[in-house]
Amino acid sequence: MSRYYCGYNPPPPNFKDFLPEKYKDRLQRLPNFGQMRKSWETHKRPTLVMLHVFADDFGALEKWVELAYRLAAPEALGGKMDFYVDDMWQSYIFNEDDFSFFRDDDGYNVESLPLVYGVGAAGEVFFFGDFAGPKLPDLEGLRDFCEQVIQGNVKQATTKDPKVEVINLANWNELVYASEGDIAICFYDSRQNGSEVNESLMINLDRLGDRLKQESVRLYKMDTHGVSVPKKFNVESTPAFFVLRETQKHTPVRCKYELGTWTMLRFVAENSSEELNYYNRRGHLRLHANLLTHMRDFFDLSQNKRGFLM
């Protein structure tokens, strides 16, 4: 079995006949990139896209396809929105130039839940689940989700402020020891402000804050100029980046990588108390978040003139 969901590796053996004929009067498979774009720009209809990591064994997936088929009936929602079901291999249409989905990143198997996304008439993309992953679909819940997509009133979890918070010795105990959840903290020396080191560091911290906005990890920065850093951190030089796990706040773990955005993200992902919502332990985007990103790029009508890829 291919390591990759899509790209230049062979598709699943049943790729061409994934969807049985009995479902084709209501359900569609994902067309190629150009056809999907033309169809979407022409009709701008609310859309449900249901994907599964494995279609190799359709029998295990039929219960999910059956849900979509029932909702797509003309007397149900078929007259108001389009319904697509497919294997993950076909989802490359959302990102033709970057084949980056891995089959083994999240421990998916045939029994895993499908990844369901709704697209509103204006191109907004919504995930049937939360930050941590997909919800278990049932007829009533999926119907409610579809109707909210049609009406444009889907309520989804909001992210926290991505701004990197400032911490100092005056608020240290309150922010570190009296708070719940993991903490990531970067020590820097303001005497290096204006230097390439600090300018690059602050840019990377801001980017890291944006990457972690749906996570429970709190991100702080602390100026070490004129203060004594708590001894347990053993900061011999700056900048220095640490993770404090929720139940081990007195045992900070120092980052062993150079302090770039991705390397700090990887370090947080490796050392967080629990696996992050959007990233696996290697710092790679988990599949449901990866697809959400690509689908938003693909369908967002405001991006039509600049392209759809990240």
Side-chain angles (χ1 to χ4, degrees):
M1 180 175 291
S2 169
R3 169 177 169 79
Y4 298 94
Y5 291 125
C6 54
Y8 302 107
N9 292 279
N14 65 338
F15 176 67
K16 292 184 178 180
D17 58 355
F18 164 79
L19 187 64
E21 288 291 332
K22 67 178 183 178
Y23 291 115
K24 291 183 179 179
D25 62 322
R26 302 178 189 174
L27 304 180
Q28 304 175 66
R29 292 195 63 187
L30 295 171
N32 64 38
F33 183 89
Q35 290 174 327
M36 188 71 177
R37 170 53 53 187
K38 183 177 180 179
S39 174
W40 175 252
E41 290 181 336
T42 300
H43 303 291
K44 295 185 176 67
R45 277 168 56 85
T47 299
L48 185 80
V49 179
M50 178 182 288
L51 300 169
H52 202 282
V53 179
F54 296 90
D56 308 62
D57 178 2
F58 184 81
L61 311 184
E62 192 165 12
K63 57 187 176 183
W64 310 124
V65 175
E66 184 67 30
L67 282 179
Y69 185 75
R70 293 175 64 182
L71 290 173
E75 65 274 14
L77 300 176
K80 300 179 181 179
M81 70 187 306
D82 295 327
F83 288 80
Y84 291 91
V85 296
D86 221 315
D87 173 74
M88 192 62 64
W89 198 89
Q90 180 74 341
S91 68
Y92 73 87
I93 68 163
F94 298 118
N95 192 15
E96 286 189 316
D97 293 344
D98 180 14
F99 303 108
S100 58
F101 305 125
F102 295 94
R103 293 190 85 138
D104 62 354
D105 268 6
D106 296 296
Y108 277 97
N109 56 53
V110 177
E111 297 302 321
S112 298
L113 300 179
L115 303 177
V116 181
Y117 303 85
V119 186
E124 319 97 314
V125 179
F126 306 100
F127 178 51
F128 185 71
D130 56 27
F131 294 140
K135 290 196 300 187
L136 175 66
D138 58 48
L139 189 62
E140 182 178 354
L142 201 54
R143 182 194 298 274
D144 288 345
F145 176 71
C146 290
E147 289 178 342
Q148 290 172 14
V149 171
I150 293 169
Q151 296 164 9
N153 58 6
V154 180
K155 294 182 180 179
Q156 299 221 291
T158 57
T159 59
K160 68 175 186 286
D161 186 346
K163 183 179 179 180
V164 184
E165 300 178 63
V166 175
I167 191 172
N168 53 51
L169 295 182
N171 59 13
W172 182 271
N173 288 339
E174 175 187 355
L175 296 181
V176 174
Y177 299 124
S179 63
E180 297 181 352
D182 294 351
I183 288 173
I185 181 170
C186 184
F187 295 100
Y188 71 98
D189 190 334
S190 59
R191 288 175 295 182
Q192 294 177 294
N193 286 350
S195 68
E196 182 178 350
V197 171
N198 270 18
E199 287 186 358
S200 176
L201 176 67
M202 295 306 160
I203 291 172
N204 287 325
L205 283 175
D206 286 340
R207 290 173 177 170
L208 178 62
D210 186 65
R211 302 295 193 279
L212 296 176
K213 62 187 177 183
Q214 69 288 321
E215 311 295 344
S216 62
V217 179
R218 310 299 301 186
L219 179 60
Y220 297 106
K221 60 183 178 182
M222 179 176 176
D223 182 8
T224 62
H225 177 49
V227 301
S228 298
V229 176
K231 292 183 179 180
K232 61 177 64 66
F233 287 92
N234 192 26
V235 177
E236 298 178 354
S237 62
T238 56
F241 187 67
F242 295 83
V243 163
L244 290 77
R245 299 185 183 97
E246 180 176 17
T247 59
Q248 298 174 295
K249 293 286 181 64
H250 294 279
T251 311
V253 182
R254 181 167 184 160
C255 183
K256 58 187 176 182
Y257 308 121
E258 293 185 10
L259 303 187
T261 304
W262 186 82
T263 50
M264 288 191 289
L265 175 61
R266 177 183 175 184
F267 180 72
V268 173
E270 289 174 338
N271 291 280
S272 58
S273 298
E274 297 182 359
E275 189 167 331
L276 299 179
N277 290 325
Y278 269 22
Y279 303 93
N280 65 17
R281 287 298 187 185
R282 288 169 284 179
H284 296 153
L285 264 175
R286 292 176 60 194
L287 183 59
H288 70 281
N290 203 340
L291 275 173
L292 179 60
T293 297
H294 292 304
M295 289 183 68
R296 282 177 171 165
D297 284 346
F298 182 88
F299 284 105
D300 185 354
L301 302 185
S302 67
Q303 302 186 46
N304 283 356
K305 294 182 180 180
R306 70 171 179 82
F308 314 104
L309 304 180
M310 293 182 67

